């Protein structure tokens, strides 16, 4: 059924139906209720694609998600999707692998889908201005910054926590409970990524308290954020007989795998070994023991990313970097020694 | 840079550049390499939106995800996204609440975005033909069927496991280990949903072995699939002093919450109580104990759903229902008594 059929059925003009559907005031109450009753009874749905053609500009916002296995991203994505809808735009999703280049993928998506803007959910921390040249629309880096890159602060937008500081707080929490032999479970230490930043926060916390860094307490997963590799990394430390009383893990999922490896090797958490992480997944409130973790505000991160992007698209704001606070969620996976 | 600029820079015609970009044979190797070198050096990305306009048909496939908190859907979605991309279409995602009507939302999305087809990831099991009237494009029900509805088999497509049979197998596994007092943790029993089907599978397994059903062993969560409600449901049974040696949970996440509630009430899993579920999340391989669960093939489900939909869109196939096998993944959460 078209708007013409609907107008004919109501005995009014097409423009009157249009005014009712757009909730405009210049229609009598009598006509309005007649049209709405007819809309209801025939189940008419306004044809947005015709509106789109008239508007002539696309309303598509691209969301490029890097590394599909990240449960934290799944939480952020839910809010991003809702906020894009609420803003009257269409979300076009592209999931890419951890090894794919999000900028090249984003630029391709931009041309293919006439995007108005892009949200990168996960990406590199070391962009140069020329690498971002192919992007012709505003973008927001969601969950990461340009800490190792050379973009000017006035040239890009991001919403993230302070990864360095959050890691320092997590490790500081362990030290405050008496731990001095603290293992670190991380994808890598010099990869210009979130992992390097959190590794540096770990080192800073040790240094703050005059604790020497021991490379034998470092479990790297070869750049991988997944649970099987985290489990294997933890297992390697245990089999090498590394001497530690606590573990700082990059993420909740890596921590959950670490707890599993410790348990499988007869080490109880937290009695024999404390474990702390960063993320704050809902899921990790139900692990045994409940994971103690620094919570990244997933909902706020998703919401602010979309708001920043819409400001840029609609010419209401300038590029800027938003740092959100992470807070400690107390669980049962750490203890005083 | 437009295709015109590129043609000028190469000293060839626009149609020559176009032939190179579309990988057509009617271009000399010399010209082809010159154009490709220029494409490479300027980072030109073909303007797909112009192609879209010429093609005049949208390439959008809508994916309507019902109930965003479902981790199993996150696994399926990854494959769906990849397969839609691989098929040369664009995925338009809409996440809706558990209480929203996916058909109305899907129909609205169809009009707004000129969809070619829709994948419903989660939905009602009791559609009538008239309820699906508003849908003007092919669709596939992913992870569910029309078991309680009145659609003809020749009129709709679905990809799912046999929920009744899978639940029966899960409960049968417990009975095979000597359990006779088996609690059921489910959203509801008569809601015409996946929960009712799995509840009926639970009842059937009991009946197969002549075990009377005891309503005191039923923990319903008021239609909710989330962990807090599952935890509360389990806790209620425990506080009522219900007498059981095993729990059948609707999903992995509900089972994880059940294990937590049991543990918090001093019941060890599996020593004091066995727990089995349906889903097979990767995450639940790392819980303590590892969850014993019936694995739904998430990747196959996503892939087959997209393939079925593309067959329908491209006129290569007819509506049909595909049932996939679930298989038991042995963990450490059940034991012989």
């Amino acid at each position: 059924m078209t708007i013409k059929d609907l107008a004919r059925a109501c005995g009014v003009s097409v423009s009157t139906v249009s005014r009712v559907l757009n909730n405009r005031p210049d229609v009598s109450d009598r006509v309005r209720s007649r049209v709405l009753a007819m809309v209801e009874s025939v189940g008419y749905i306004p044809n947005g694609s015709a509106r789109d053609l008239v508007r002539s500009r696309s309303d598509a916002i691209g969301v490029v998600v890097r590394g599909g296995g990240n449960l934290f991203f799944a939480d952020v994505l839910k809010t991003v999707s809702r906020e894009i809808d609420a803003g009257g735009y269409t979300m076009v999703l592209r999931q890419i692998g951890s090894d794919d280049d999000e900028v090249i993928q984003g630029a391709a998506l931009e041309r293919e889908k006439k995007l108005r803007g892009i949200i990168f959910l996960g990406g590199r921390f070391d962009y140069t201005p020329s690498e971002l040249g192919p992007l012709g629309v505003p973008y927001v880096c969601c969950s990461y910054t340009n800490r190792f890159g050379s973009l000017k602060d006035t040239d890009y937008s991001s919403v993230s926590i302070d990864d360095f500081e959050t890691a320092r707080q997590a490790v500081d929490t362990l030290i405050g409970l008496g731990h001095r032999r603290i293992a670190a479970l991380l994808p890598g230490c010099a990869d210009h990524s979130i992992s390097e930043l959190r590794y540096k926060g770990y080192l800073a916390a040790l240094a703050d308290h005059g604790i020497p860094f021991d490379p034998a307490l470092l479990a790297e997963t070869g750049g991988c954020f997944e649970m099987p590799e985290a489990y294997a990394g933890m297992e390697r430390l245990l089999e090498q007989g590394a001497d530690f009383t606590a573990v700082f893990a990059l993420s909740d999922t890596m921590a959950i795998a670490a707890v599993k490896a410790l348990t499988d090797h007869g080490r109880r958490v937290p009695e024999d070994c404390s474990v702390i992480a960063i993320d704050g997944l809902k899921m990790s409130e139900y692990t045994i023991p409940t994971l103690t973790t620094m919570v990244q505000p997933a909902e706020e991160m998703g919401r602010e990313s979309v708001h920043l992007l819409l400001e840029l698209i609609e010419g209401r704001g300038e590029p800027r970097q938003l740092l959100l606070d992470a807070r400690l969620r107390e669980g049962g996976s750490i203890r005083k020694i």
Side-chain angles (χ1 to χ4, degrees), chain A residues 42 49 92 112 116 133 135 156 178 211 231:
Chain A
V42 301
S49 54
V92 175
E112 284 169 30
R116 299 286 302 279
L135 296 182
Y156 82 103
I211 302 172
Y231 184 94

Side-chain angles (χ1 to χ4, degrees), chain A residues 105-115 118 134-137:
Chain A
Q105 298 273 349
L109 197 65
E110 177 193 330
R111 310 294 170 99
E112 284 169 30
K113 314 301 180 192
K114 298 172 274 182
L115 300 183
I118 303 175
L135 296 182
V137 294

Side-chain angles (χ1 to χ4, degrees), chain A residues 7-332:
Chain A
R8 200 174 305 122
C10 298
V12 299
S13 70
V14 167
S15 66
T16 300
V17 173
S18 170
R19 282 200 301 275
V20 172
L21 293 177
N22 288 299
N23 206 19
R24 290 251 300 273
D26 47 350
V27 190
S28 75
D29 284 350
R30 197 178 50 83
V31 170
R32 187 186 306 278
S33 24
R34 198 199 316 161
V35 172
L36 289 178
M38 187 61 76
V39 164
E40 180 84 4
S41 82
V42 301
Y44 174 79
I45 293 167
N47 187 334
S49 54
R51 271 210 305 275
D52 283 350
L53 289 176
V54 173
R55 245 197 268 131
S56 92
R57 285 217 286 190
S58 144
D59 63 358
I61 288 179
V63 179
V64 179
V65 183
R66 193 174 182 224
N70 190 324
L71 290 183
F72 176 70
F73 286 174
D75 278 354
V76 177
L77 194 58
K78 228 182 306 175
T79 307
V80 165
S81 163
R82 199 186 57 218
E83 294 290 324
I84 289 177
D85 273 355
Y89 291 82
T90 300
M91 169 165 152
V92 175
L93 181 70
R94 179 152 293 176
Q95 302 213 238
I96 65 173
S98 310
D99 296 331
D100 287 333
D101 184 314
E102 65 278 3
V103 176
I104 289 177
Q105 298 273 349
L109 197 65
E110 177 193 330
R111 310 294 170 99
E112 284 169 30
K113 314 301 180 192
K114 298 172 274 182
L115 300 183
R116 299 286 302 279
I118 303 175
I119 288 178
F120 292 108
L121 195 39
R124 282 169 45 213
F125 284 63
D126 58 355
Y127 298 138
T128 60
S130 72
E131 284 175 322
L132 291 173
L135 296 182
V137 294
Y139 63 91
V140 174
C141 303
C142 178
S143 82
Y144 68 109
T145 63
N146 196 240
R147 185 74 174 256
F148 298 107
S150 55
L151 304 184
K152 276 190 278 185
D153 283 356
T154 49
D155 282 350
Y156 82 103
S157 292
S158 65
V159 180
S160 69
I161 60 166
D162 183 331
D163 289 292
F164 171 85
E165 195 50 42
T166 304
R168 176 147 80 169
Q169 284 172 31
V171 177
D172 195 68
T173 302
L174 293 173
I175 297 172
L177 293 173
H179 296 276
R180 294 180 64 87
R181 309 251 342 134
I182 301 170
L185 177 60
L186 300 160
C189 300
D191 54 0
H192 280 195
S193 86
I194 198 165
S195 182
E196 177 172 342
L197 272 179
R198 293 184 182 178
Y199 171 64
K200 287 184 167 160
Y202 160 78
L203 292 183
L206 296 181
D208 287 346
H209 296 272
I211 302 172
F213 164 64
D214 180 355
L217 300 186
L218 193 60
E220 288 182 84
T221 60
C224 189
F225 294 77
E226 306 292 321
M227 287 190 289
E229 287 77 9
Y231 184 94
M234 199 69 241
E235 197 161 49
R236 232 170 9 248
L237 273 200
L238 289 162
E239 287 170 357
Q240 287 163 358
D243 171 28
F244 56 90
T245 63
V247 177
F248 162 62
L250 176 99
S251 68
D252 277 19
T253 45
M254 291 183 77
I256 289 170
V259 170
K260 185 73 172 170
L262 287 161
T263 307
D264 286 351
H265 284 74
R267 304 271 298 261
R268 292 163 306 161
V269 177
E271 292 82 351
D272 305 323
C273 184
S274 292
V275 176
I276 198 167
I278 300 177
D279 261 353
L281 301 180
K282 286 189 198 86
M283 165 64 72
S284 60
E285 290 186 58
Y286 292 89
T287 54
I288 295 172
T290 303
L291 191 64
T292 300
T293 182
M294 301 293 298
V295 180
Q296 299 201 65
E299 196 170 331
E300 191 182 358
M301 198 174 276
R303 196 173 56 236
E304 294 296 344
S305 295
V306 175
H307 289 183
L308 257 182
L309 185 65
L310 296 189
E311 276 180 26
L312 293 169
I313 290 175
E314 296 167 3
R316 294 183 284 108
E318 296 298 320
R320 58 196 163 99
Q321 296 79 46
L322 203 59
L323 274 189
L324 305 180
D325 286 329
R327 57 167 188 79
L328 183 71
R329 189 183 78 200
E330 299 200 15

